Amino acid sequence: MRFITLCVRTLAVSESNFISAAEHAGETFVLNLGPQHPATHGVLRVKLTMDGEYITRAEPVPGYIHRMHEKMGENRNYAQFLPNTSRIDYLSAMHYTHAFVGVVERAAKLEVPPRAEYIRVITSELNRISSHLVWFGAFLLDLGGFTPLLYAFDDREKILDLLEGITGSRLTYCYYRFGGVCNDIDDEFIRGTRAFLEEMRPRLKLYRELVTDNIILRKRLIDIGPISAELCRKYGATGPVIRGAGVPYDVRRSEPYSVYPELDFVVPTHAEGDCMARYLVRMEEMGQSLRIIEQALDRLPEGPVLGKAPKTVKLPPGDYCYAVEAARGRFMVRVISDGKEIPYRVKLRAPSFSNLSLFEEASQGMMLPDALAVMGSLDLVIPDIDR
Amino acid sequence: MKHSPRQIIDGFWSLLTGMRITLGQFFKPTVTVQYPHESLKMPTRFRGHIVFVRDPETGKSLCIACKACEKACPSDCIVVDGIKREGEKRKSVTDFKLDFTKCSLCGSCVEVCPTDALEFSRAYNLASVSKEQFHCIDLVKRLEQE
Ligand code: SF4
Ligand code: SF4
């Protein structure tokens, strides 16, 4: 099986050399993938130069939903920028807010009560599972399987209900505050989360049986779209993309933040680097997130959830960074302060942007349906790319 | 490409597993809520647009028109005005307009209010054909009408 695909790939590669000649001879055509395309999940446009079924060049054209988040950061105070962070990548709002409150807490040296840190970890990991579930459904939709989406959204709905109960919103949470979180979690949430943990484990098994072991999926993903660790380094790809290339890079471990060092979890990696590896990394991550939530619930200390924070936050002049592991990879906020109420500069390092950048090189000489599988396996969120 | 017998068996097995799981789900209870006919109750912390809290004693708003919410709002959705009536210690609100088209439901206004005069409503069936309906929600009038 592997041998056959290898042959096909060698063929494709040798053909890709030939293709440039075809391009030269004007025998190629341009195909617009997007800006409105079901497989780009938003408004991303990829300009594909095609030679028949094969891609000779893929040029991503981002920017269709650029909302100037970085610029908005420069004209409002720190607290006012907080709701923006959850709109950058709407699927992992908790992580993004975490990075922003993290950078302010680090710069202003604010204490965060331990209970708040645990609550942050619990909600962040719930958010990670819900984000991966959306990816799972949408990715399989790209590949032509409709049913898994309905299973995934059934589970995701439970997470959204839980988070809605404590934060008040279902997607763009604005729950973290400088120095803690805005509401304490109640018994209902804890009970609900424990019940969810119980329900989710058999569901992950169900996904494995129904989807992961399915021969159609395996044939669509195994040995398709190899992305090497070298390529990831070149473009700064992080998250499940680099872990799917065998590099155990996870911000929760390599630059520990919050209470992650106290928790026991493994960073799943797969060395193959193909679409299947990235798929498996995300599926295993959901299991690990369940483990993290369980431990955090067991250790949840009593106490306040919001530490002391000044009414108007002013950071001492300087340059501050804080990175978190969002669902799509490393998200970092860099704030440059000149001592005023309003930041001088807010730089957002979004994982999807780097993950998209490698698509051009990775999709060279690939068949179009395979390229869509690669794009799906990168788990792009377009507002995150454009910011 | 010729298929090996192994692949054919694998294919059949995948099919059977899929069928088994689908059939199992068939007998599980329905999770869908038939929305317009039945609707869910919103949790107590649900964030709808902001509304005034009624003072249980006077039946009026608790707002003292301090404009803290106006300043805190990241999107400039709030315009407050108030006057100081004679014989009263604090100012009272005469005008409170919310531009809900710009509101991000962040909750800054609710948190910053010194008298806890604001809360989130549980209204979520918010749809309209004209933007005027949300452009300028008059909270003072709303409280009077309730
Ligand atoms: S919820 Fe936020 S955006 Fe909406 S009015 Fe209040 S402060 Fe402004
Ligand atoms: S912060 Fe509260 S009291 Fe002050 S103007 Fe706003 S609603 Fe009124």
Side-chain angles (χ1 to χ4, degrees), chain B residues 52 61-70 78 80-81 93 96 109-110 112-118:
Chain B
F52 271 146
S61 163
L62 285 164
C63 174
I64 50 166
C66 69
K67 290 179 186 271
C69 52
E70 197 180 301
I78 301 174
V80 202
D81 232 332
V93 64
F96 194 111
C109 48
V110 177
V112 83
C113 180
T115 56
D116 291 331
L118 294 172

Side-chain angles (χ1 to χ4, degrees), chain A residues 23-87:
Chain A
E23 199 182 350
H24 200 67
E27 283 169 7
T28 57
F29 61 96
V30 173
L31 185 68
N32 266 311
L33 183 70
Q36 303 288 346
H37 190 278
T40 55
H41 305 288
V43 274
L44 170 71
R45 175 171 162 225
V46 185
K47 227 169 98 187
L48 300 171
T49 310
M50 306 286 298
D51 179 26
E53 264 298 270
Y54 293 94
I55 296 172
T56 61
R57 193 176 307 142
E59 187 191 329
V61 189
Y64 282 85
I65 40 170
H66 175 54
R67 290 150 301 158
M68 308 184 293
H69 277 304
E70 294 186 3
K71 197 72 199 164
M72 281 164 95
E74 292 170 25
N75 57 36
R76 53 193 59 209
N77 66 34
Y78 293 93
Q80 287 180 331
F81 186 65
L82 204 52
N84 279 59
T85 49
S86 59
R87 269 100 180 155

Side-chain angles (χ1 to χ4, degrees), chain A residues 80 87 168 177 184 215 219, chain B residues 7 14 45 71 104 111:
Chain A
Q80 287 180 331
R87 269 100 180 155
R177 292 288 181 276
D184 198 357
I215 188 153
K219 290 204 165 195
Chain B
Q7 274 184 337
S14 289
R45 283 178 187 169
K71 271 193 223 101
S104 54
E111 273 165 43

Side-chain angles (χ1 to χ4, degrees), chain A residues 42-289:
Chain A
V43 274
L44 170 71
R45 175 171 162 225
V46 185
K47 227 169 98 187
L48 300 171
T49 310
M50 306 286 298
D51 179 26
E53 264 298 270
Y54 293 94
I55 296 172
T56 61
R57 193 176 307 142
E59 187 191 329
V61 189
Y64 282 85
I65 40 170
H66 175 54
R67 290 150 301 158
M68 308 184 293
H69 277 304
E70 294 186 3
K71 197 72 199 164
M72 281 164 95
E74 292 170 25
N75 57 36
R76 53 193 59 209
N77 66 34
Y78 293 93
Q80 287 180 331
F81 186 65
L82 204 52
N84 279 59
T85 49
S86 59
R87 269 100 180 155
I88 300 164
D89 176 353
Y90 49 83
L91 289 179
S92 52
M94 289 285 185
H95 310 124
Y96 280 52
T97 322
H98 198 165
F100 188 67
V101 295
V103 73
V104 171
E105 282 157 8
R106 182 175 283 173
K109 302 204 171 51
L110 299 179
E111 284 278 332
V112 184
R115 186 178 172 87
E117 286 287 14
Y118 276 94
I119 293 174
R120 283 181 184 179
V121 166
I122 294 168
T123 47
S124 283
E125 293 306 318
L126 280 173
N127 200 187
R128 189 183 313 276
I129 299 175
S130 78
S131 169
H132 282 354
L133 283 171
V134 175
W135 158 80
F136 175 73
F139 179 45
L140 291 160
L141 212 54
D142 290 353
L143 296 176
F146 185 72
T147 340
L149 174 91
L150 301 174
Y151 288 104
F153 270 54
D154 182 13
D155 290 334
R156 176 173 176 260
E157 206 63 20
K158 289 176 197 142
I159 301 180
L160 296 193
D161 285 345
L162 285 171
L163 293 179
E164 186 185 22
I166 55 163
T167 67
S169 17
R170 293 178 76 78
L171 201 63
T172 46
Y173 320 103
C174 187
Y175 181 49
Y176 301 164
R177 292 288 181 276
F178 307 130
V181 296
C182 70
N183 290 326
D184 198 357
I185 56 176
D186 46 14
D187 287 338
E188 199 185 330
F189 174 80
I190 296 177
R191 236 179 299 123
T193 312
R194 285 205 191 273
F196 172 74
L197 294 178
E198 290 305 308
E199 285 164 31
M200 195 58 200
R201 292 214 164 95
R203 291 292 275 205
L204 287 178
K205 190 166 157 273
L206 182 144
Y207 292 151
R208 194 164 57 240
E209 286 176 354
L210 182 70
V211 182
T212 314
D213 289 342
N214 189 293
I215 188 153
I216 305 174
L217 182 93
R218 300 188 81 82
K219 290 204 165 195
R220 284 295 305 269
L221 298 187
I222 291 177
D223 284 340
I224 299 296
I227 294 174
S228 64
E230 196 44 49
L231 195 66
C232 291
R233 282 205 192 92
K234 197 164 145 192
Y235 288 97
T238 47
V241 178
I242 197 166
R243 292 197 284 277
V247 183
Y249 177 76
D250 186 316
V251 182
R252 289 174 294 178
R253 281 283 181 250
S254 53
E255 291 169 53
Y257 60 96
S258 197
V259 286
Y260 282 110
E262 294 167 29
L263 302 168
D264 173 35
F265 64 97
V266 291
V267 177
T269 53
H270 283 267
E272 298 83 14
D274 54 2
C275 288
M276 194 66 189
R278 293 187 282 280
Y279 171 91
L280 288 174
V281 164
R282 289 204 184 84
M283 296 312 273
E284 285 165 25
E285 257 178 45
M286 282 197 249
Q288 293 300 326
S289 290

Side-chain angles (χ1 to χ4, degrees), chain A residues 260-368:
Chain A
Y260 282 110
E262 294 167 29
L263 302 168
D264 173 35
F265 64 97
V266 291
V267 177
T269 53
H270 283 267
E272 298 83 14
D274 54 2
C275 288
M276 194 66 189
R278 293 187 282 280
Y279 171 91
L280 288 174
V281 164
R282 289 204 184 84
M283 296 312 273
E284 285 165 25
E285 257 178 45
M286 282 197 249
Q288 293 300 326
S289 290
L290 292 179
R291 266 182 75 190
I292 297 174
I293 296 168
E294 195 164 34
Q295 292 171 45
L297 280 177
D298 289 342
R299 290 160 175 235
L300 190 70
E302 291 296 325
V305 291
L306 193 58
K308 272 207 191 80
K311 241 187 172 168
T312 42
V313 183
K314 272 190 198 168
L315 303 191
D319 189 343
Y320 311 96
C321 287
Y322 197 91
V324 295
E325 182 68 28
R328 268 147 216 88
R330 177 191 161 97
F331 174 68
M332 190 193 75
V333 181
R334 176 176 174 202
V335 168
I336 302 174
S337 164
D338 51 4
K340 296 209 186 77
E341 245 172 70
I342 291 168
Y344 175 74
R345 172 87 168 98
V346 178
K347 162 86 182 104
L348 307 164
R349 188 253 181 235
S352 289
F353 184 79
S354 314
N355 293 359
L356 171 73
S357 334
L358 59 72
F359 180 70
E360 181 164 12
E361 197 170 325
S363 64
Q364 286 280 319
M366 205 177 261
M367 298 254 292
L368 184 58

